[in-house]
Amino acid sequence: MNTKLVDHVTAMLEDSLRYTGEKIGDTGAIRLLKNNDADALGYFRYRLAMQVGIYLGETSEHVLEVFLYPEMPDEKITVTLPLTMIVRVRKHTAAIESIADALQDVLLAEYRKMFSPQADGLSVLLNVYFLDEDDFLGRKGLSAAVGSLYTPALRVWSSQGCRK
Amino acid sequence: MVFLKLPVIVSSCLYYYTIELGSSKTVLWYNKINKSVFVWQGNEKGSDARMRHQANRRRKISERRSITLIFSKLLEAFDLDTFLSNTASLLKSVLTGIDAVIVYLYDDSRKQLIPVSVSGFSSEHVLCLEVEAACLSVIAQVFKTGKPFVQTGKGTVKALAGCITGDADCYSMKSLLCVPMDLSDGTRIGCLLFLWTVSDKLSPRDLGLFRRIAKTMGPFAFKAETLRQSQEKKYSSLVCTLSHELRTPLTCIKGYATTLLDNNGEWNQKERNEFLKIIDAESDTMKELIDDLMESSMIESGLLSVKKEPVLLARIVEKAVGDARLRTAKHKFIVSIPKNFPVIEADPVRTRQVLDNLLENAIKYSPEGGLIVVQCRVDNREVTVSVADEGVGIAPEHLNRLFEKFYRVKTDLAGTGLGLPVASEIVEKQGGRIWASSTPGKGSTFCFTLPLTGTGPGIHTVKSPNWGKGGV
């Protein structure tokens, strides 16, 4: 794996933008996103979360599943709303934590450029929570959201098979 | 008519002159510590009593100042060298009038009082003193009994017999004061010996000052002694480590070289090349060990230098990771470098050395393989490079000591315990910081920073996609 992370991130954003365009059938996806169009943002955020999940899952053998925690019903979806992601891991290592940090940094830099001026002051785009098997079995913290009836987290990647 | 009387010595660092002009009396106080003069005037009867009171007050203040000065200086840079080399001379310089000072610390294994700091004599002339012998020196007696010893006049030289030898200055000493050094729990750890070449300098009042100094100095001396012992242990363990580390590659080199020589002509070219490759690799290991040792001695002598120049840290990181990839097939490397990573002022060779060391450790301490993530970040003042792995991790009790020389967490793995201290020195010399965080079993992250010098974005610029222009 010799590709730079920044290239991955650029590809992730390009793919999410293309996917949004396809879904809404509009060529001006970026304009809709900048205008905080809820539908466009929904597709875009889902696809981006999936790309992040794929990257994390394919990078570390310790990642078992990646979930996107949904927005609260009263939460207004905007282009600056961070993505909350739950990553189920076999072992929570320093390296995987560092990858998430690096993803956050690079993604933020590209995202700010993409959604300027709305995202100029954005400092957090990814809220990544790593939960190991103990957390999951004990339904600690956000692991409870994975099987929640009311606000179930959306699986975006699994080591058993990616929902690409 | 003006009478200028001889100075009256209140303590070793404070005395006054009295000037009488008719019925009026002027007293000039001179404090030798801060070289200040205080003028006191009086023309009333009974002023002598007031003067004595003033004198007492000033003596106490002056004594307190002396103690504060001594220990604030010791505290400024407390380390073993400061204590061992400077304490006696510091005491001698602050407590003006003293001609020699010797600090003795008790060595329990040798049952001797060891002169660890000497001023006024040549240290090789000061002897270690037996504490368990039948005929004890006065200093050993002070140590055993805990009672201070004062001697003035001719008996001084006699009292020093067996303590100092071959030093002519010893015979000029006229006063001697020896006080024990105790810790707050009463443990006796040594003695302080003060000597004067005049017999009238020592007043009974001074005893209190010197006892207070000895009492305050106790913990410092104890700490210094503990440090010395731990250093001795470290050095002996280093000798063991080095012999082992050097012998292993040397045995290999010797073995293969002898095999090649003994079986001249019997080995085919492929086998010979294989042997030579092993010899070459083992020679490199030895060279690295010797380089580490040399770096360490350079740090010790303050000779390690860094030559700063504008560098593209991103390139150095990529090159270091690229070379690390060649050394291992088990590990997967992820490199994250932001676009427009700035040019910084740093020593490229030394910075690469730091990176190589961190990457080498990440590989070494994750023997099962796994991810190694190298991340570069920029903020307003500095750039941060981190190397994270999925290795064995480091227990919290070891984290603070990782950058100490010769400290090794796992002694069963090859290494001298010099890599991280050298890396730390290089980073700090360039104005940066280095630290580690870890959870046992979950890997470690080593980070170092280098200051940003405001040279602006470098040439490491990747054209970013043109977001927002045109539709998707």
Side-chain angles (χ1 to χ4, degrees), chain B residues 41-342:
Chain B
Q41 274 188 313
N43 51 6
E44 292 169 19
K45 285 191 174 178
S47 61
D48 282 350
R50 212 172 302 151
M51 272 169 52
R52 273 199 298 277
H53 173 72
Q54 288 271 9
N56 268 333
R57 222 180 108 243
R58 290 192 172 275
R59 181 175 58 78
K60 280 179 185 165
I61 293 169
S62 156
E63 285 178 3
R64 271 203 295 272
R65 276 188 192 152
S66 306
I67 294 174
T68 312
L69 187 68
I70 290 165
F71 294 103
S72 62
K73 290 216 171 194
L74 280 176
L75 273 171
E76 267 170 23
F78 184 80
D79 59 33
L80 187 62
D81 289 340
T82 312
F83 187 84
L84 295 186
S85 59
N86 297 353
T87 308
S89 53
L90 185 65
L91 286 168
K92 189 169 167 268
S93 66
V94 172
L95 303 168
T96 321
I98 295 174
D99 296 297
V101 178
I102 305 172
V103 182
Y104 289 95
L105 285 180
Y106 179 61
D107 185 335
D108 193 37
S109 59
R110 290 157 68 181
K111 306 285 178 210
Q112 280 184 332
L113 283 168
I114 314 293
V116 292
S117 186
V118 179
S119 178
F121 296 113
S122 176
S123 57
E124 64 262 29
H125 294 147
V126 182
L127 304 175
C128 297
L129 304 172
E130 295 291 337
V131 174
E132 302 293 335
C135 182
L136 291 178
S137 62
V138 289
I139 297 150
Q141 279 177 33
V142 169
F143 178 77
K144 282 211 93 171
T145 60
K147 289 178 185 167
F149 178 81
V150 181
Q151 176 76 55
T152 53
K154 287 178 183 172
T156 306
V157 175
K158 199 179 164 191
L160 285 174
C163 304
I164 298 157
T165 180
D167 198 314
D169 290 339
C170 167
Y171 299 102
S172 58
M173 294 302 164
K174 295 282 176 7
S175 305
L176 171 155
L177 170 71
C178 185
V179 280
M181 255 194 308
D182 295 342
L183 294 180
S184 53
D185 64 356
T187 315
R188 189 147 307 127
I189 55 157
C191 288
L192 285 179
L193 178 67
F194 300 93
L195 294 152
W196 289 262
T197 50
V198 287
S199 55
D200 59 342
K201 275 279 177 83
L202 190 60
S203 78
R205 284 169 179 165
D206 285 334
L207 188 59
L209 168 70
F210 292 114
R211 288 191 81 159
R212 276 201 294 281
I213 287 173
K215 194 179 170 188
T216 322
M217 191 179 271
F220 286 89
F222 183 69
K223 189 176 169 188
E225 180 61 10
T226 317
L227 274 172
R228 187 185 64 80
Q229 282 173 3
S230 85
Q231 261 188 12
E232 268 179 12
K233 262 188 198 168
K234 266 187 203 167
Y235 279 111
S236 64
S237 104
L238 169 76
V239 171
C240 288
T241 310
L242 279 181
S243 346
H244 173 75
E245 295 296 334
L246 286 171
R247 194 184 289 154
T248 311
L250 195 61
T251 309
C252 204
I253 292 167
K254 169 79 181 153
Y256 280 102
T258 309
T259 311
L260 277 173
L261 285 171
D262 286 352
N263 297 282
N264 196 15
E266 285 182 25
W267 303 108
N268 63 34
Q269 191 60 41
K270 194 184 166 194
E271 286 164 332
R272 279 225 293 272
N273 278 348
E274 196 68 32
F275 292 169
L276 287 170
K277 269 183 193 167
I278 294 168
I279 291 172
D280 185 50
E282 293 300 325
S283 309
D284 284 346
T285 311
M286 282 187 78
K287 185 183 167 292
E288 276 168 30
L289 270 169
I290 293 161
D291 284 350
D292 272 358
L293 275 174
M294 285 181 71
E295 296 278 1
S296 162
S297 67
M298 278 168 82
I299 293 176
E300 202 78 64
S301 53
L303 291 174
L304 190 135
S305 60
V306 289
K307 285 177 195 151
K308 283 191 178 184
E309 57 183 85
V311 293
L312 281 165
L313 187 61
R315 288 266 171 86
I316 295 176
V317 170
E318 279 165 2
K319 187 81 179 58
V321 174
D323 289 352
R325 274 194 181 107
L326 299 176
R327 294 200 294 271
T328 172
K330 282 184 189 173
H331 298 83
K332 194 157 87 175
F333 290 85
I334 307 280
V335 185
S336 166
I337 304 166
K339 283 179 184 174
N340 299 329
F341 199 76

